[in-house]
Amino acid sequence: MFIFDVDGYVTGFGNPDWARTHSAATSTAPAVLDVLRAGATCVGKTIMDEMAYCIYGENKHYGTPRNPCAPERVPGGSSSGSAVAVGAMLVDFSLGTDTGASVRLPASYCGILGFRPSHDTVSTVGVLPFAQSFDTVGWFARDPVILNLVGRVLLHLPDADPTRPTQIIIPEDCFCLSSVPSERTAQILVKSVEKLFGGQFVKHVILGDYVKDNVPSLQHFMDKENEGQEYDIPSLAALSSIMQLLQRYEFKSNHAEWVTKVNPDLGPGISGRVWKAIRTTQENIDICNSVRSELRAALTALLGDHGILAIPTAPGDPPKLQTDPATLARFRARAFNLLSIAGLSGFCQVSIPLGMHNNLPVSISLLAKHGSDAFLLSIVETLYDTLKGEIAMLRE
């Protein structure tokens, strides 16, 4: 990706004005070095959204990587090229970054596995920052064994025996956000879990109510920001607003000087988001950070040591290429209801492909508490074949 330093090459950040105004890197990012030293071969850098500030993968300067599952649909971003390279079987795995969505959504849209690790568990040294308290280095693969192997290299994990989950939590309100029928997502997971571990492990909750009741500082923000607005899950919409405000504030700290000096040529949508970030003030930053701490504590209490939270990765099908901005804005709002859960809590999350529905890729995500990355990787490997079997039965 254009976001990782590689010695001797300009780290272009998806934008030609950035590439033009920056020198070549003088060292290689440790995350890249880790996989190279473990035996990987670097075959190239991939296209990304400009300044990592989009979730669709359309880049007006360098072109839009073609979604191998649905060529008329966006590949997802910002790690668009990395996901497409894996989905198109050009490579076994690839690296990406995920601050708000940039590994999870492209994985979902391209029909592959995508892992966002717990925040601050994989080195982001030598990776251009977006918002450091959210930035993660993630990875894509088609095979859960390779996903696990790459994860163990990047996370510096020893080999360990798989651990059984203590519970699989299905938030019914989150699955209602998705336009994909739950029979193609949640029910496939539930049936697989019942076969492998037994039905006693499955628990149903209303996550929006749990968050509202257990994150007290959130009420202040909902009152301020969501009055008069209609959301499917108000508490999760508030989390989304908080996450995006914090990210704008950090993005401004990192890049305001360059943006105001260069006035870069930015694509539609991205330009507006960048300049909105540049105008962000410190208002509500402290209360937002309180919400973040309370949310992590509340979700940790909900999941326990070996609990899993299942949610849709995305609220529906990948948008069509060149969809009008108003439609994309509505889709983005719904998407961040789901994406902010791991983003704001710092939990690890994996997007797992579940085949095709109406000729478009379908996925589900599993989340585990912060620091449970090895556990989550092993769960994916354990579940994967059973999930595929359930999908195959639907076709019969």
Side-chain angles (χ1 to χ4, degrees):
M1 258 179 78
F2 288 177
I3 202 167
F4 290 92
D5 282 353
V6 175
D7 188 11
Y9 294 86
V10 175
T11 309
F13 219 5
N15 179 272
D17 287 327
W18 182 280
R20 174 178 56 81
T21 55
H22 289 80
S23 302
T26 56
S27 61
T28 298
V32 175
L33 289 175
D34 279 347
V35 294
L36 292 176
R37 288 166 178 162
T41 301
C42 180
V43 298
K45 287 194 171 190
T46 56
I47 291 172
M48 61 175 286
D49 280 303
E50 297 172 78
M51 303 190 79
Y53 219 149
C54 190
I55 62 173
Y56 306 119
E58 295 179 293
N59 188 310
K60 78 167 192 174
H61 303 288
Y62 299 114
T64 299
R66 186 179 183 187
N67 186 329
C69 281
E72 76 287 356
R73 305 280 174 149
V74 300
S78 64
S79 305
S80 52
S82 294
V84 167
V86 172
M89 301 186 184
L90 301 175
V91 294
D92 294 321
F93 77 93
S94 62
L95 300 182
T97 60
D98 190 314
T99 300
S102 299
V103 164
R104 293 163 288 167
L105 268 191
S108 175
Y109 291 171
C110 292
I112 58 175
L113 294 154
F115 197 91
R116 174 199 163 99
S118 301
H119 182 259
D120 206 25
T121 55
V122 176
S123 173
T124 55
V125 173
V127 181
L128 291 176
F130 182 98
Q132 284 94 326
S133 72
F134 294 90
D135 291 345
T136 65
V137 171
W139 56 99
F140 302 95
R142 294 182 305 278
D143 182 334
V145 175
I146 292 177
L147 190 84
N148 198 345
L149 287 172
V150 174
R152 292 187 174 278
V153 169
L154 290 170
L155 293 157
H156 301 158
L157 296 171
D159 290 334
D161 294 329
T163 304
R164 291 168 67 90
T166 53
Q167 57 179 341
I168 307 286
I169 297 174
I170 308 292
E172 296 176 3
D173 52 341
C174 291
F175 283 95
C176 288
L177 271 182
S178 175
S179 62
V180 178
S182 62
E183 293 79 20
R184 285 295 285 108
T185 53
Q187 289 308 309
I188 288 175
L189 175 66
V190 168
K191 289 176 182 177
S192 299
V193 169
E194 288 174 347
K195 284 184 177 180
L196 287 169
F197 307 117
Q200 72 274 17
F201 288 92
V202 179
K203 177 182 177 183
H204 295 267
V205 301
I206 304 299
L207 187 63
D209 289 349
Y210 179 83
V211 168
K212 180 178 66 176
D213 294 342
N214 290 276
V215 183
S217 295
L218 187 64
Q219 189 60 46
H220 168 88
F221 199 90
M222 289 173 67
D223 289 343
K224 295 291 185 183
E225 296 293 328
N226 292 352
E227 187 175 350
Q229 297 186 35
E230 188 173 327
Y231 292 97
D232 289 326
I233 307 177
S235 59
L236 299 191
L239 292 182
S240 170
S241 297
I242 289 165
M243 183 182 78
Q244 292 179 77
L245 173 58
L246 288 171
Q247 290 179 353
R248 286 195 297 270
Y249 184 71
E250 293 182 31
F251 181 92
K252 174 185 177 179
S253 297
N254 290 320
H255 302 303
E257 182 179 352
W258 180 80
V259 171
T260 53
K261 178 181 177 181
V262 174
N263 190 20
D265 180 16
L266 298 167
I270 295 174
S271 179
R273 285 190 287 277
V274 165
W275 286 105
K276 184 176 182 180
I278 302 306
R279 295 190 295 270
T280 298
T281 69
Q282 284 186 297
E283 184 180 3
N284 284 331
I285 295 298
D286 288 343
I287 193 73
C288 288
N289 281 317
S290 296
V291 168
R292 175 156 49 181
S293 298
E294 292 168 8
L295 177 68
R296 181 182 287 196
L299 292 180
T300 299
L302 177 66
L303 295 183
D305 285 340
H306 296 111
I308 295 287
L309 177 67
I311 61 172
T313 307
D317 299 331
K320 292 181 179 179
L321 292 166
Q322 298 179 334
T323 295
D324 68 274
T327 300
L328 287 178
R330 290 192 295 271
F331 184 90
R332 181 184 175 89
R334 291 170 68 84
F336 276 108
N337 273 241
L338 300 166
L339 296 160
S340 62
I341 299 168
L344 202 56
S345 66
F347 281 21
C348 48
Q349 178 175 342
V350 61
S351 181
I352 304 173
L354 297 178
M356 306 286 278
H357 176 68
N358 293 335
N359 295 316
L360 293 170
V362 178
S363 67
I364 195 167
S365 271
L366 306 181
L367 288 75
K369 76 170 190 176
H370 186 275
S372 297
D373 304 71
F375 163 65
L376 188 57
L377 285 165
S378 70
I379 288 294
V380 176
E381 201 170 334
T382 301
L383 275 172
Y384 196 72
D385 285 344
T386 307
L387 290 169
K388 286 177 67 176
E390 289 296 325
I391 296 164
M393 289 176 64
L394 288 175
R395 301 194 196 107
E396 295 175 356

